[in-house]
Amino acid sequence: MNQSTSLPVTAAAGRALMSGLRASLPLAIGYAPMAFSFGVVGIQAGLATWETLLISLIVFAGAAQFILVSMLAAGSGAGAALIAVWVLNLRHLFYGPALLSQLRERPGRLLPALAFGLTDEVFATAMAESTRTAVTPAWTLGVGIGAYSAWVGGTALGAWLGVGLGEGETVISHALTFVLPGLFIALLASALQRFLWPVVAVAATVTLILGWFYPSHVAMMAGMVAGALIRPALQDRSAEPQP
């Protein structure tokens, strides 16, 4: 076996995994109430408890799960719903390479697990950590496990209690819509160096402008591309010697 492409099970890897689990606590706090809301919404949309839980177990995609359930409840075909979820999650095509470039070693057999657990907030947490120290696959896996556990657990609780909440689910859903965006923004801000804020400004501006004319996922993708295009120029400028 090529040791350079696989992560050996060592005490160091175990410590890194536990450290990642601890680092996932802020994510778990943000995920649990949102997942609870999804569990309630799934039941109110007519899904069985096991179906609602299965979506969180397999999809693990936050907002995409709400879209999936709402489209199914509205009578959309499974094909159309899956396409919508796939398009919404296209941004992960950017996340994967960016995260891999920051890992201290290649993930090897952990790669599928890291890819499955890569959400917006897991990505932001890992990138923030990479500005302070080298990030290992085991640490990143720990963050993903913590986030996944909170999401699935919150969904299970929400689905279990959803039958008795009645129309209260609407209030819960609307009250919690700020949780994940707020958490992601806070995590992202902690990861950014000062000279990178223009990237965020350009991406946000393009997204906001195009959001008036195009669907949100299209505007978001265009904003990400715009930010990525100016990133090399900023990096070159920051590397120039100061007089």
Side-chain angles (χ1 to χ4, degrees):
M1 181 181 294
N2 188 343
Q3 294 297 323
S4 66
T5 59
S6 64
L7 182 67
V9 179
T10 63
R15 289 193 296 270
L17 181 69
M18 294 305 299
S19 177
L21 283 171
R22 290 191 295 270
S24 72
L25 180 59
L27 277 65
I29 293 173
Y31 273 18
M34 200 68 182
F36 179 90
S37 177
F38 173 75
V40 174
V41 168
I43 296 300
Q44 296 300 321
L47 296 178
T49 300
W50 71 268
E51 291 174 321
T52 304
L53 184 58
L54 185 64
I55 291 175
S56 280
L57 283 168
I58 296 177
V59 179
F60 185 41
Q65 293 184 205
F66 285 91
I67 293 176
L68 175 62
V69 169
S70 64
M71 291 185 68
L72 292 177
S76 300
L82 291 176
I83 290 175
V85 170
W86 180 78
V87 171
L88 182 63
N89 287 324
L90 278 177
R91 64 189 183 280
H92 290 85
L93 293 176
F94 296 90
Y95 289 171
L99 178 58
L100 282 176
S101 68
Q102 299 301 318
L103 294 180
R104 188 170 65 188
E105 60 216 32
R106 298 181 62 181
R109 290 175 295 179
L110 293 182
L111 183 60
L114 295 183
F116 176 77
L118 187 59
T119 64
D120 294 336
E121 294 75 27
V122 171
F123 172 75
T125 300
M127 296 303 287
E129 182 69 10
S130 70
T131 64
R132 295 184 288 268
T133 185
V135 176
T136 66
W139 184 90
T140 309
L141 180 63
V143 175
I145 290 175
Y148 182 70
S149 300
W151 185 262
V152 173
T155 299
L157 183 60
W160 181 51
L161 297 176
V163 176
L165 289 178
E167 294 302 319
E169 60 87 13
T170 301
V171 177
I172 294 173
S173 300
H174 287 232
L176 294 175
T177 51
F178 73 95
V179 173
L180 289 184
L183 178 63
F184 179 67
I185 291 172
L187 293 170
L188 181 64
S190 68
L192 288 179
Q193 300 176 23
R194 188 172 183 178
F195 80 94
L196 289 178
W197 278 108
V199 176
V200 177
V202 169
T205 301
V206 172
T207 301
L208 288 173
I209 293 175
L210 294 183
W212 286 97
F213 307 101
Y214 299 97
S216 59
H217 62 272
V218 175
M220 185 184 302
M221 291 294 293
M224 292 174 66
V225 171
L229 288 176
I230 71 164
R231 173 66 174 84
L234 291 175
Q235 186 172 17
D236 292 342
R237 182 179 301 176
S238 67
E240 292 178 357
Q242 299 297 322

